[in-house]
Every structure is written in structure tokens, then in C-alpha cells.
Amino acid sequence: MAKTVWGRAAGAVIMGVVLSLAAAMPTMAQSVRVTVNGTPITDLQVAARVKLFALEGNRAGTRGATEQLINEALQIEEAKRLGVTVSNAQIDEALLQISRNMNVSQDKLVGMLQQGGVSIETLKDRLRAAIAWNAVTEQAIMPQVQISDLALDQQAESQMQAFQNFDYILKEIIFVGAGSSGRSGQANNYRSKFAGCDSAVDLSLAYTDAAVIDVGRRHATQLPEAIAKELAGLNVGGITKPRVVESGVSMLAVCEKTQAEDLTFVKGDLRAEQGNEALEGEVENYLANLRARAKIVFN
């Protein structure tokens, strides 16, 4: 299935689902707690995963760790069946990303694990399963997720409101700098003298640190709701009230305004939301089917 708007977000959703699952390999001279299609999961693997849980604030305990390792064994097995391999470079990149997200060095990350009694191999095992399962999801599960365009059209139309049925060409007038009260005063003064987009730049020259930016064409559904509502009440040549933004004080001027229903952006949001929900459900079902067909023996 060709990747849709939601497809870009789907990778994040997949990793969010599978990073809470994962895979460990057998260790010699250990007591086997459970076998999954002949693959042993040892008591030491379970104990190591429980310690990793503790570092993460996860209180699922031994039972949760065992279930996670069972899922991982199935994920790794399915990945192999589909020809998916996970390289050491992929594992290293995943570890690097975790370090960056935590704003620590990799050495610091390893030290944090060791302080909790967890070896880096325990985390690598989980990452290996997560990466493998991500590939399985993209290859075997994502193509099964279908989102109806007709249903999206109908839902988008039902969500559209009157103030969203406009297309604009806009200019932004921004008074740059700190001191929002002083900047707002100048912005209001500018607004009182504003006579249309054609003279916007010339008018700005009378003010300190005032800039006029061509925003270009925007549909109402691309704008924050409060701004879209205000713009809907303005005619061509109108200008919004000053708003404090990160860089100063901003206003939007209406250069052109036409009646136009555009469902593109509403549908994009709906597609991402529904696609991700559907994908999560399919991922769960796929794993549940693997478990149903597996031979899982507890010792």
C-alpha cells in the first residue's frame, strides 16, 4: 500500500507500540522458564528484564517481563521468517538515539544501566526485537490497513464549520522585539492607519523594527481556530488584532479572500489519526495470532 499522509507518523506509532515489547537470546547453564516454539527463555533473562523495568518505573514484575520476552521471541521468529535481519549498526544507532533523547552520553547510559544491575545486552535485546518488529509491521501489517477516502470525506465535511470555508492571501505585519506592551501599542497604532496590503510596506517604514512578510495563500483549515474565526469576520483590506508571538507582536492582513471549501487538511489530520489507530489494532491482532499458533511451554 502506498504510504499516505499518516504513513509518516506511522513509524513513530509502530516504535511506540513495539518498544514496550522485545527479544532475548538463551544463555547457557541457566534454568529455562519457558520455551517459545523451541526457543528457551531463561530465569536470568527474566530477572534482567525485571531490573530494566524497575529503571523505567514499570511495575509489571516477573510476569510482565516473561510475557514481554515471549512476545519478543515471536517477533524475532516472524522477522526471520520474512527475511528481516537487524544489523549491529542499527542497534548502535538506536542506542545513540536513546542517549540523545535522554541528553546523556552513551557511556553515561551504560553506567545508569549498570547501577541498576542491568547489562547493556539486555537493552540491546529489546531494541533488536523492536527494530525487527518495526520491519515486520511495515512489510506485512501496514499494507493491510486501508482508510476509506469516502468515509474521510464524509467525516471531514461533518467537521467543517462556516468560518473554515474561506481561502486567503495574507501578509503578516510583525513588530519585532521584547516588551510586548510597547510593541502592542505600536501595532495598534499601525492597525488604525492600515489601508490595505498595497501600502502595508510603506506604512511599516514609519515604525521601528516593523516587518511585512508575505504569508501567501492559506486556507482557513491551515490556521489556528481563533485566527480563522477572526479572519472570517474581516473583508479584504482588514487586519487582525495584535497577538503576542515568540518574536514580538503579530497581525495578519487580508489581501484576498474567497469562499472555498477545502477538505485536504482536515482529511490529512483524520487520515493520520484513523490510520495510526487502525495500524495499532492490526499490530496487536498480528501478534495475538502469532501467540495463538505458537507452542509456548512453561516449566
Side-chain angles (χ1 to χ4, degrees), residues 249-264:
V249 176
S250 170
M251 298 176 292
L252 289 176
V254 181
C255 304
E256 290 185 21
K257 178 181 180 180
T258 55
Q259 192 86 21
E261 183 183 87
D262 188 344
L263 302 178
T264 303

Side-chain angles (χ1 to χ4, degrees), residues 141 276-286:
I141 306 175
N276 292 336
E277 288 178 357
L279 181 59
E280 286 186 21
E282 288 296 326
V283 168
E284 291 175 2
N285 290 337
Y286 197 99

Side-chain angles (χ1 to χ4, degrees), residues 172-194 200 203-213 239-240 242-252:
E172 181 183 26
I173 298 87
I174 185 163
F175 288 78
V176 182
S180 59
S181 58
R183 301 273 76 188
S184 294
Q186 291 188 41
N188 277 312
N189 184 272
Y190 179 100
R191 185 169 181 260
S192 69
K193 297 177 181 179
F194 185 74
L203 179 58
S204 71
L205 298 177
Y207 298 85
T208 303
D209 294 328
V212 178
I213 302 169
I239 187 170
T240 63
R243 283 182 172 81
V244 176
V245 296
E246 184 176 352
S247 54
V249 176
S250 170
M251 298 176 292
L252 289 176

Side-chain angles (χ1 to χ4, degrees), residues 92-103:
D92 291 341
E93 178 61 30
L95 285 170
L96 178 60
Q97 189 59 54
I98 291 173
S99 300
R100 288 172 175 168
N101 291 343
M102 296 176 64
N103 200 27

Side-chain angles (χ1 to χ4, degrees), residues 6-291:
W6 64 264
R8 294 189 296 273
V13 172
I14 298 164
M15 290 302 292
V17 172
V18 299
L19 277 174
S20 63
L21 307 169
M25 304 308 294
T27 304
M28 297 301 292
Q30 299 175 24
S31 174
V32 175
R33 184 179 294 268
V34 59
T35 58
V36 181
N37 291 334
T39 298
I41 296 171
T42 69
D43 54 354
L44 291 185
Q45 287 175 283
V46 174
R49 190 58 56 89
V50 170
K51 290 179 180 179
L52 182 57
F53 279 3
L55 286 177
E56 297 169 336
N58 184 337
R59 299 182 179 181
T62 298
R63 181 174 179 178
T66 303
E67 288 298 307
Q68 188 176 84
L69 289 165
I70 290 171
N71 286 337
E72 291 179 351
L74 292 169
Q75 290 163 355
I76 291 291
E77 182 180 59
E78 181 68 2
K80 289 180 179 178
R81 187 184 73 82
L82 295 175
V84 172
T85 58
V86 179
S87 68
N88 290 333
Q90 287 175 287
I91 301 296
D92 291 341
E93 178 61 30
L95 285 170
L96 178 60
Q97 189 59 54
I98 291 173
S99 300
R100 288 172 175 168
N101 291 343
M102 296 176 64
N103 200 27
V104 298
S105 67
Q106 287 199 61
D107 288 342
K108 178 66 173 178
L109 175 61
V110 172
M112 292 167 63
L113 291 170
Q114 289 176 341
Q115 286 178 5
V118 180
S119 75
I120 191 65
E121 294 306 317
T122 297
L123 180 56
K124 284 184 175 182
D125 285 341
R126 188 162 71 174
L127 289 173
R128 187 177 302 277
I131 295 168
W133 189 240
N134 183 55
V136 170
T137 300
E138 291 185 347
Q139 180 177 327
I141 306 175
M142 191 182 292
Q144 306 305 315
V145 178
Q146 302 291 334
I147 306 298
S148 167
D149 279 323
L150 176 60
L152 287 177
D153 282 333
Q154 293 171 341
Q155 189 171 352
E157 287 173 1
S158 70
Q159 292 187 7
M160 291 286 284
Q161 301 182 55
F163 70 85
Q164 294 176 305
N165 293 323
F166 294 101
D167 196 66
Y168 302 95
I169 292 181
L170 303 169
K171 287 184 183 293
E172 181 183 26
I173 298 87
I174 185 163
F175 288 78
V176 182
S180 59
S181 58
R183 301 273 76 188
S184 294
Q186 291 188 41
N188 277 312
N189 184 272
Y190 179 100
R191 185 169 181 260
S192 69
K193 297 177 181 179
F194 185 74
C197 290
D198 290 342
S199 59
V201 173
D202 290 339
L203 179 58
S204 71
L205 298 177
Y207 298 85
T208 303
D209 294 328
V212 178
I213 302 169
D214 286 323
V215 176
R217 187 174 299 278
R218 294 289 187 276
H219 191 266
T221 54
Q222 293 177 271
L223 301 168
E225 183 173 314
I227 293 177
K229 285 181 176 178
E230 185 176 1
L231 288 172
L234 298 177
N235 295 319
V236 173
I239 187 170
T240 63
K241 296 176 182 178
R243 283 182 172 81
V244 176
V245 296
E246 184 176 352
S247 54
V249 176
S250 170
M251 298 176 292
L252 289 176
V254 181
C255 304
E256 290 185 21
K257 178 181 180 180
T258 55
Q259 192 86 21
E261 183 183 87
D262 188 344
L263 302 178
T264 303
F265 302 100
V266 177
K267 282 179 65 178
D269 290 340
L270 289 172
R271 188 183 299 278
E273 179 182 338
Q274 293 185 15
N276 292 336
E277 288 178 357
L279 181 59
E280 286 186 21
E282 288 296 326
V283 168
E284 291 175 2
N285 290 337
Y286 197 99
L287 183 58
N289 288 333
L290 290 179
R291 287 192 66 129

